[in-house]
Amino acid sequence: MNNSYPTNLSPVFQQAEDLKKQFSSDLAQAASDDLPQLKIKYLGRNGLITSLFNELGNATREEKPKLGKLLNELKNELSQTLETMQKTKVPGTNTASYDVTLPGRTHETGTLHPLTTVLQEICVFFENMGFTVAEGPDIESEYNNFTALNILNNHPARDMHDTFYLDSGGLLRTHTSPVQIRVMQNGKPPFRVIAPGKVYRCDSDLRHSPMFHQVEGFCVGEGIHFGHLKYLLKLFAKKIFGESVKLRFRPSFFPFTEPSAEVDISCVICRGKGCRTCSNSGWIEILGAGMIHPNVLHNVRLDPEHFSGYAFGMGVERIAMLKYGIGDIRLFFENNHDFLVQFK
Ligand code: PHE
């Protein structure tokens, strides 16, 4: 229904509309004991509606039938409303009655995403070991992501299949290692830094997501050696996977570290006996690491004769999957409520 009437209609139309509003506001404030009073005020013999009916005589001949209809409707509406209110109002209150046997409303609290929890756990461990947190941008230059890290032009990691290149000439970083370059370019050793963040690779299946998270870590100074790295990572694995976990360093290759290693933990599912998760080997790879390549130090103007350092990089999803026994990486990104509430 319209809220206001054209001014060429007689004012009683507008009065009817105002009356309706007044009634609603009276009703909202009324306690159940007030309802009979309201009925008299509006519908009684000298009530407000009746006085509007008296105005009918002043209306023009065309208006009369319309106005009569309107007022009758208004009268019915008001008396019906009053009747239902009378039935449902609880004496002494001004709210509708309620069913005390209905279950109450629960207030569900949210929970941290499992990736957030694991990421925090990782960061807290390294911060306790004296590392500071650094971050770099998701959009990187080819130089920081590859060249400065000794990944030459013909290296397969630069292949279009792995890297999302941008029209602007940059790329989405494929690992957090470019943060090593950024930090070392802008500071002075010693460095003891971790760099958590998102990374991107054109890859998607049960174990790969085109966007995932890594934590990079590195330490550069005088006399830093592989033993420091081994000790740190051993403590780290025990912290995340429990005291009984075993560590294995397997020779590997990364262009930016020499020597390089992949680090395995004893399978957390079968405890090393052999199962599907560990492909019956009893071991699961959790990170890549090594001593920072002299070329990389050279690229950030550090003298490899004077400084040495280690670096490592791990996938946060992978660690969370192992820790919680999650078989499909995509579960992290679907925001399925049933999945997420399990991490309360
Ligand atoms: N950047 C490597 C990767 O994404 C991991 C790594 C980091 C390896 C640092 C060695 C040293 O796979």
Side-chain angles (χ1 to χ4, degrees), residues 1-3 5 11-28 38-44 46-55 67 70-79 81-82:
M1 199 183 276
N2 282 330
N3 282 329
Y5 287 87
V12 65
F13 283 92
Q14 186 60 52
Q15 284 167 17
E17 194 60 30
D18 293 344
L19 188 82
K20 201 169 155 182
K21 281 191 199 133
Q22 192 190 341
F23 176 73
S24 312
S25 96
D26 277 356
L27 195 66
L38 266 191
K39 194 168 175 181
I40 293 168
K41 177 172 171 189
Y42 285 89
L43 300 164
N46 296 318
L48 294 170
I49 297 247
T50 318
S51 65
L52 279 188
F53 270 107
N54 294 337
E55 298 281 328
L67 188 57
L70 178 75
L71 292 178
N72 273 320
E73 279 171 3
L74 189 59
K75 187 177 162 185
N76 290 340
E77 195 182 323
L78 262 57
S79 65
T81 311
L82 278 172

Side-chain angles (χ1 to χ4, degrees), residues 140-180:
E140 259 301 359
S141 64
E142 198 157 349
Y143 178 79
N144 284 344
N145 195 81
F146 292 130
T147 315
L149 288 162
N150 200 35
I151 305 177
L152 301 178
N153 261 325
N154 55 2
H155 193 276
R158 289 201 179 196
D159 198 299
M160 286 296 276
H161 291 284
D162 286 321
T163 310
F164 290 109
Y165 286 94
L166 304 175
D167 289 342
S168 61
L171 48 77
L172 295 179
R173 65 179 177 187
T174 57
H175 53 178
T176 41
S177 300
V179 184
Q180 288 186 35

Side-chain angles (χ1 to χ4, degrees), residues 35-323:
L35 292 178
Q37 269 311 116
L38 266 191
K39 194 168 175 181
I40 293 168
K41 177 172 171 189
Y42 285 89
L43 300 164
R45 207 176 332 159
N46 296 318
L48 294 170
I49 297 247
T50 318
S51 65
L52 279 188
F53 270 107
N54 294 337
E55 298 281 328
L56 259 179
N58 301 331
T60 64
R61 210 193 298 166
E62 304 90 74
E63 282 175 350
K64 242 176 219 170
K66 268 196 223 159
L67 188 57
K69 190 162 170 257
L70 178 75
L71 292 178
N72 273 320
E73 279 171 3
L74 189 59
K75 187 177 162 185
N76 290 340
E77 195 182 323
L78 262 57
S79 65
Q80 242 169 40
T81 311
L82 278 172
E83 213 167 295
T84 30
M85 287 304 280
Q86 194 81 60
K87 283 187 193 141
T88 53
K89 281 246 178 184
V90 175
T93 72
N94 62 355
T95 51
S97 65
Y98 47 84
D99 180 354
V100 292
T101 65
L102 285 173
R105 281 190 199 149
T106 54
H107 290 273
E108 247 195 279
T109 50
T111 154
L112 287 182
H113 192 282
L115 285 180
T116 307
T117 309
V118 169
L119 192 59
Q120 279 181 357
E121 214 175 312
I122 295 171
C123 289
V124 165
F125 169 83
F126 286 109
E127 283 174 294
N128 286 341
M129 297 301 283
F131 285 70
T132 51
V133 176
E135 282 180 320
D138 293 10
I139 296 177
E140 259 301 359
S141 64
E142 198 157 349
Y143 178 79
N144 284 344
N145 195 81
F146 292 130
T147 315
L149 288 162
N150 200 35
I151 305 177
L152 301 178
N153 261 325
N154 55 2
H155 193 276
R158 289 201 179 196
D159 198 299
M160 286 296 276
H161 291 284
D162 286 321
T163 310
F164 290 109
Y165 286 94
L166 304 175
D167 289 342
S168 61
L171 48 77
L172 295 179
R173 65 179 177 187
T174 57
H175 53 178
T176 41
S177 300
V179 184
Q180 288 186 35
I181 303 301
R182 287 177 175 269
V183 170
M184 290 196 281
Q185 269 173 347
N186 294 314
K188 279 200 169 87
F191 297 106
R192 219 193 266 131
V193 172
I194 50 164
K198 291 182 168 65
V199 300
Y200 305 83
R201 289 179 198 178
C202 191
D203 206 350
S204 182
D205 60 34
L206 274 183
R207 283 155 190 267
H208 299 91
S209 157
M211 184 282 298
F212 60 103
H213 298 80
Q214 284 190 336
V215 175
E216 189 83 8
F218 65 98
C219 170
V220 175
E222 290 173 54
I224 304 295
H225 57 74
F226 206 95
H228 294 133
L229 171 67
K230 248 182 128 169
Y231 174 72
L232 177 74
L233 293 181
K234 205 166 190 166
L235 285 183
F236 168 71
K238 284 176 188 290
K239 179 77 193 171
I240 298 291
F241 295 105
E243 271 303 310
S244 60
V245 81
K246 289 194 180 64
L247 236 64
R248 179 173 85 169
F249 285 72
R250 204 163 19 83
S252 185
F253 172 80
F254 297 104
F256 35 90
T257 48
E258 180 59 34
S260 302
E262 276 174 309
V263 179
D264 301 338
I265 54 167
S266 49
C267 180
V268 286
I269 310 290
C270 63
R271 295 181 180 277
K273 288 192 197 75
C275 68
R276 248 183 56 196
T277 304
C278 61
S279 310
N280 275 317
S281 69
W283 295 97
I284 296 177
E285 184 207 324
I286 58 158
L287 53 82
M291 298 306 294
I292 297 178
H293 197 289
N295 289 353
V296 174
L297 294 175
H298 183 81
N299 289 339
V300 292
R301 293 200 189 84
L302 290 178
D303 179 5
E305 296 293 324
H306 195 72
F307 294 108
S308 59
Y310 60 74
F312 55 88
M314 64 187 86
V316 181
E317 281 79 0
R318 189 173 173 79
I319 289 180
M321 285 169 83
L322 291 170
K323 202 173 151 74

